[in-house]
Amino acid sequence: MAGKILIVDSVATNRIVLKVKLTGACYETIQGATGETALRLARSERPDLILLDVQLPDINGIDVCRRLRADPLLRTIPVVMLAASSDATTRIAALKAGADDFLAKPIDELLLLARLRSLLRARETDEELRLRESTCRALGFGESVTGFEPPARVALISSSRERAAGWRRALVPHLANVELAVMSRDEALAEAGGQAAPDGFIIDSNLSRAGDGLRLMSELRSRQASRHATVCIALEGALREAAAVALDLGASDLLPANLSRVEDAQEAALRLGAQLRRKAVADRQRSSVADGLRLAVTDPLTGLYNRRYALPHLARIADRARETGRQFAVMVLDLDRFKAVNDTWGHAAGDAVLVEIAARLTANLRDVDMVARIGGEEFLVAMPETTLEAARIAAERLCRLVEQDPVRLGDGITRISVTVSIGLAMGGGAALAPGVEALMGEADRALLGSKAFGRNKVTVSATAA
């Protein structure tokens, strides 16, 4: 399943229609008809996203959203408000209460699914950053940094400088601690190539040609300095297909291109402000993790995490799995006959092999997966929210990637053939799932099985199989 969605609507027919649409897109759904039920299910089921109707029989949906945002355990769950009409007053009230988006009924399936994909991608990134930051704190690093917050810088890029200047005039009264600058496409790319790229961009979907704004966004997403910037796409009218494409290509949010009405400007400012705050939090988390861990918990040879980081992080993955009821995978990998490499070609060659294998492992796993070096030639991989079948496929792929291409040494001539044995164990998914130490023991025993039965293979622990 792509994620768990809580649908909250007092009308059973509406819930059924949404369930059919979401199930067809491979989402798991749970349902509630009242505000109290929504709060209870949010706490017990920990959904990945909530679709919340404004009109509920007991508590107004906007008040439910406020209560979700006030709860430390629930405040990070994305909330999309639904309503029978899309009047500006209700939209603005929902956004002020902390809603991530507002959709009017009847729900457009194309836009709904594009918005869900966008919000769930952002949630996955946020959750991973929080998980890594909590690991840092457990190790004594990553203390919160407080102090002066410089103004966020936002570039306004439109088909004409006059139109972008109009955006600036409309937004300034509704934004605090934000600097808005009118830029051309080339000026924005030049800024993104420097060390101090803008924190955000509002880009007209159509610049000199139709779709130029989306191409510019893709350029900005590909550059290191602007990769994590807030990018809002300004759209003319109800261009549903263009809106869906923009979200799927990585737009943080969508804004109306015409901000002449005060209500539209206020809504655009609320959306932009929410995205800038999210970016500021994520930037602090990235900085905390990078600064706190770079020297203390990374292996100096391979650049991977070391055992000191890996085991506490694995414990937090296990904690999260217990909360969500989802599985995670643990692999222990060991290079076969590595002593022979050192004895034949020397320790410098052995180091080169370790560095290359570490790079291959990292390049062929997801960003959310953890790769660590926990011994001389031993590596650990942890894959959150993964099924046994997916983990087995990943492990077998790693075996092939190591075996099929010998490691080239710096002389450009010597090639060393290497293979790896893998033990795979599964955690989570059940109330009585094994603890981290027991899980590592299962993976170690499975690794011994791979070694005993010829090496260069994957063995799944008996409990996982």
Side-chain angles (χ1 to χ4, degrees), residues 9 45 54 59 73 125 146 311 331 378 382 449:
D9 194 305
E45 298 291 334
V54 171
I59 309 172
L73 296 177
T125 300
T146 58
L311 297 185
M331 298 180 209
E378 192 172 30

Side-chain angles (χ1 to χ4, degrees), residues 299 301-302 304 332-342 347 350-351 353-355 357-358 361 372-380 418-421 447 451:
D299 172 49
L301 175 64
T302 63
L304 299 177
V332 178
L333 306 85
D334 190 83
L335 296 183
D336 297 324
R337 299 187 175 93
F338 185 69
K339 183 177 183 298
V341 174
N342 285 329
H347 287 280
D351 287 349
V353 168
L354 290 170
V355 169
I357 298 307
L361 296 179
R373 183 186 177 201
I374 58 173
E377 64 269 24
E378 192 172 30
F379 299 87
L380 173 70
V418 183
T419 60
V420 63
S421 295
L447 173 63
K451 295 284 190 181

Side-chain angles (χ1 to χ4, degrees), residues 306-430:
N306 60 19
R307 179 181 287 270
R308 184 183 183 192
Y309 176 90
L311 297 185
H313 187 67
L314 181 57
R316 273 149 188 81
I317 291 175
D319 290 342
R320 182 173 165 189
R322 277 190 289 272
E323 292 176 357
T324 62
R326 296 173 187 172
Q327 289 185 300
F328 66 97
V330 174
M331 298 180 209
V332 178
L333 306 85
D334 190 83
L335 296 183
D336 297 324
R337 299 187 175 93
F338 185 69
K339 183 177 183 298
V341 174
N342 285 329
D343 292 344
T344 305
W345 286 281
H347 287 280
D351 287 349
V353 168
L354 290 170
V355 169
E356 173 62 20
I357 298 307
R360 292 185 195 181
L361 296 179
T362 303
N364 288 281
L365 291 164
R366 304 172 302 175
D367 288 343
V368 298
D369 299 331
M370 178 191 68
V371 186
R373 183 186 177 201
I374 58 173
E377 64 269 24
E378 192 172 30
F379 299 87
L380 173 70
V381 171
M383 302 180 69
E385 300 192 8
T386 302
T387 64
L388 172 59
E389 184 60 23
R392 189 202 304 269
I393 291 170
E396 290 173 349
R397 182 178 69 247
L398 295 177
C399 270
R400 292 194 303 271
L401 288 166
V402 172
E403 178 190 24
Q404 68 188 16
D405 190 10
V407 176
R408 298 173 182 269
L409 298 189
D411 61 10
I413 300 173
T414 308
R415 291 157 57 91
I416 302 176
S417 295
V418 183
T419 60
V420 63
S421 295
I422 302 178
L424 171 63
M426 298 298 297

